[in-house]
Amino acid sequence: MRSHASRVYFETQAGTPMEPPRAGSTLEHPLVFDRAAKNLKAMADKGLVAIVDEHSSVRLGETLIDRLTFVKLR
C-alpha cells in the first residue's frame, strides 16, 4: 500500500509546483497531512522533490505542518 505522499508524488507532473490536496481527501485531517508532508520532506532529502513553501502551526496541541508546496524533480 502506498503512502499518501507517494500517491501525491506519482500523480504530480515534474516541474509543476503542487500542494497536496486537502478538502474531501484523507489529507483533510491535520495529523494525516502533517505525516504526508514529513514524508514529502524525506523525499526532498533523496532529491525526488524540492520543497518551495512550508508553513507550520500549533494544532491539536502539537506543531504540525499545515501547508506544503513542492516541485517534483524526477
Side-chain angles (χ1 to χ4, degrees), residues 1-14 18 40 43 48-49 70 72 74:
M1 185 164 117
R2 288 187 181 165
S3 70
H4 296 295
S6 294
R7 265 187 249 133
V8 170
Y9 172 80
F10 286 113
E11 293 172 358
T12 301
Q13 290 185 317
M18 174 71 176
L40 285 164
M43 289 178 171
L48 299 172
V49 301
F70 70 96
K72 181 178 177 178
R74 328 185 223 162

Side-chain angles (χ1 to χ4, degrees), residues 42-54:
M43 289 178 171
D45 292 340
K46 295 177 184 176
L48 299 172
V49 301
I51 305 299
V52 295
D53 185 46
E54 177 182 339

Side-chain angles (χ1 to χ4, degrees), residues 2-74:
R2 288 187 181 165
S3 70
H4 296 295
S6 294
R7 265 187 249 133
V8 170
Y9 172 80
F10 286 113
E11 293 172 358
T12 301
Q13 290 185 317
T16 303
M18 174 71 176
E19 186 171 331
R22 297 168 70 91
S25 76
T26 55
L27 294 177
E28 195 166 14
H29 191 281
L31 292 173
V32 176
F33 187 89
D34 178 72
R35 173 53 44 206
K38 287 177 179 169
N39 287 340
L40 285 164
K41 288 178 70 171
M43 289 178 171
D45 292 340
K46 295 177 184 176
L48 299 172
V49 301
I51 305 299
V52 295
D53 185 46
E54 177 182 339
H55 183 267
S56 299
S57 63
V58 177
R59 297 184 69 177
L60 305 172
E62 297 181 50
T63 301
L64 302 174
I65 299 170
D66 59 8
R67 188 177 67 240
L68 184 89
T69 305
F70 70 96
V71 174
K72 181 178 177 178
L73 301 176
R74 328 185 223 162

